[in-house]
Amino acid sequence: MIKGREEDAKFCRRKRKRAWRGRRVCCVVPEHGVLSCTTFNILAPIYKRLDHENTRESDYRAYWLSRNQRILDQLLADCSSIICLQEVWLGNEELVNLYEKRLGDANYDIFKLARTNNRGDGLLAAVSKGNFKVINYKELLFNDFGDRVAQLLHVESIIPFSQTGNGDENIQQEILIVNTHLLFPHDRTFCIVRLKQVYKILQYIEAYQKENKLGPMPIILSGDWNGSKRGQVYQFLRSQGFVSSYDQAHHYTDNDADCHKWVSHRNHRGNICGVDFIWLLNPSMQKKTLKTSWNQAVLAIIKNLLRAASLSEYNAFELLKADNSCDYITYSSFCQAMYQLNLLHPNGLESEEIDELWAHADLDRNGVLDFQEFMTSIWNTEWRNQFEKTCEEETILEQEHLSNNEVVYGFTVKDAVLFPPEVETGIWPDNYNLSDHAPLTVTFSPVKIFT
């Protein structure tokens, strides 16, 4: 217990000493409009192993109670406007009451969502009543074999975001916030399931915006994404205009050289990696249609599976041709190959998605794929080339955006901090015991955008 308090004290001192990184952006709103968001997978006691004989922390009340008290101490010391937690032991009434009591006493609205099929854990989102009013709350159940879920919160700022310099009225800014925890990639066949989970989230957001006739507003996706910057989920979100707030704050790019600068998780296999993200999408930043990004992401997965089998481009083309004697890939042979690549399982691609994928790959619309189309649509698909701009270049608004009519607010990333500090250098300290994840806290500052 003393060790935990020392750990918390070090964190608080570090937060007080750390200088926020200033950014030169257009029309930054005064300091009272600052928003902070924390994401943290707190490791449910039913999953936390205490020794090599598979003893779980959930069997020892004193252990899990003390650890979660320290987690709450840290969360409350951080005072984030939005708190997004994953792996909350919602199956234990005492622990749930603990979080509801302490967060409620700190003036937070609390929203809980258990994973389906009584998995025992789930999500918890807390919204500071002093900063935001919750307009709407929605729950998204993926209903896949991972029993994963997501929360969508539509919030409005209590303190107006003042438009400075031109006498405009104050704006109560609306924001969409998602909290989720994706499936762990146990093997390559799970890639398509994880990608579909993100696709469903983005489809749900699009439908919600359309149904409620919402105007442009920032979107924040927070949670444990169970995948690194090298994965298809990361590339998929980047193709939709989202930026990783932590990478943006630290001027990291999407290049391989920056993929391992920081970590946020030590998994059950002992591997360390960066998997916890707070994604930001500002109004008018989206680059492609959602369906286009989805099709490109799936084709990239197909390419990776073919290359993982050590196939050359010619052998991969032959695989997709199947038994077809002609020098092209037919729709039926393509479907057969998807089955061989294990992409057509119950939680994999659906028939309508296969049709759309085929239409996307068939560049000349003649109903078959020749070798050149295969090379262009599948084999040479390189997402990383599309995101060579640095995060800072994407965030600083270009001057031509300031010449249009409608004014909305977005955010610029002011600071982003992982705890403990060692993880920011790619090291997982052995004496860290709050969780097998590091909490990530991001501070956003409002910025005026002309769309």
Side-chain angles (χ1 to χ4, degrees), residues 135-249:
I135 297 175
N136 205 350
Y137 168 71
K138 296 288 186 179
E139 298 178 346
L140 176 57
L141 311 181
F142 297 136
N143 292 316
D144 54 27
F145 62 79
D147 295 313
R148 302 293 176 167
V149 294
Q151 298 172 296
L152 172 67
L153 295 98
H154 180 187
V155 304
E156 181 182 71
S157 61
I158 298 294
I159 301 174
F161 291 1
S162 303
Q163 296 185 2
T164 60
N166 54 10
D168 292 333
E169 293 182 358
N170 292 334
I171 290 180
Q172 256 75 31
Q173 177 63 44
E174 295 181 28
I175 309 166
L176 294 179
I177 301 165
V178 170
N179 180 27
T180 194
H181 182 190
L182 298 190
L183 182 70
F184 183 83
H186 295 280
D187 58 53
R188 292 181 183 273
T189 62
F190 286 76
C191 292
I192 192 66
V193 183
R194 291 163 30 74
L195 194 66
K196 285 193 75 169
Q197 290 173 344
V198 181
Y199 189 37
K200 288 179 181 179
I201 290 173
L202 299 186
Q203 285 179 313
Y204 192 86
I205 291 174
E206 276 195 354
Y208 179 82
Q209 290 176 303
K210 184 176 181 180
E211 177 185 348
N212 292 278
K213 299 179 174 59
L214 301 181
M217 65 181 63
I219 299 172
I220 294 173
L221 308 181
S222 180
D224 174 6
W225 301 85
N226 258 326
S228 72
K229 292 176 65 174
R230 299 177 63 88
Q232 294 303 324
V233 165
Y234 182 93
Q235 303 301 331
F236 181 44
L237 287 168
R238 292 291 288 114
S239 74
Q240 283 292 288
F242 285 91
V243 294
S244 163
S245 300
Y246 185 83
D247 290 293
Q248 181 178 335

Side-chain angles (χ1 to χ4, degrees), residues 395-408:
T395 303
I396 297 179
L397 303 176
E398 299 177 1
Q399 289 299 320
E400 60 255 30
H401 290 308
L402 301 178
S403 61
N404 297 321
N405 298 320
E406 186 179 359
V407 178
V408 296

Side-chain angles (χ1 to χ4, degrees), residues 41-54:
N41 180 326
I42 63 174
L43 182 56
I46 52 177
Y47 303 135
K48 181 173 172 59
R49 296 177 175 87
L50 295 183
D51 55 39
H52 296 296
E53 297 182 3
N54 213 28

Side-chain angles (χ1 to χ4, degrees), residues 27-39:
C27 307
V28 174
V29 177
E31 205 55 31
H32 63 67
V34 165
L35 157 71
S36 58
C37 180
T38 295
T39 184

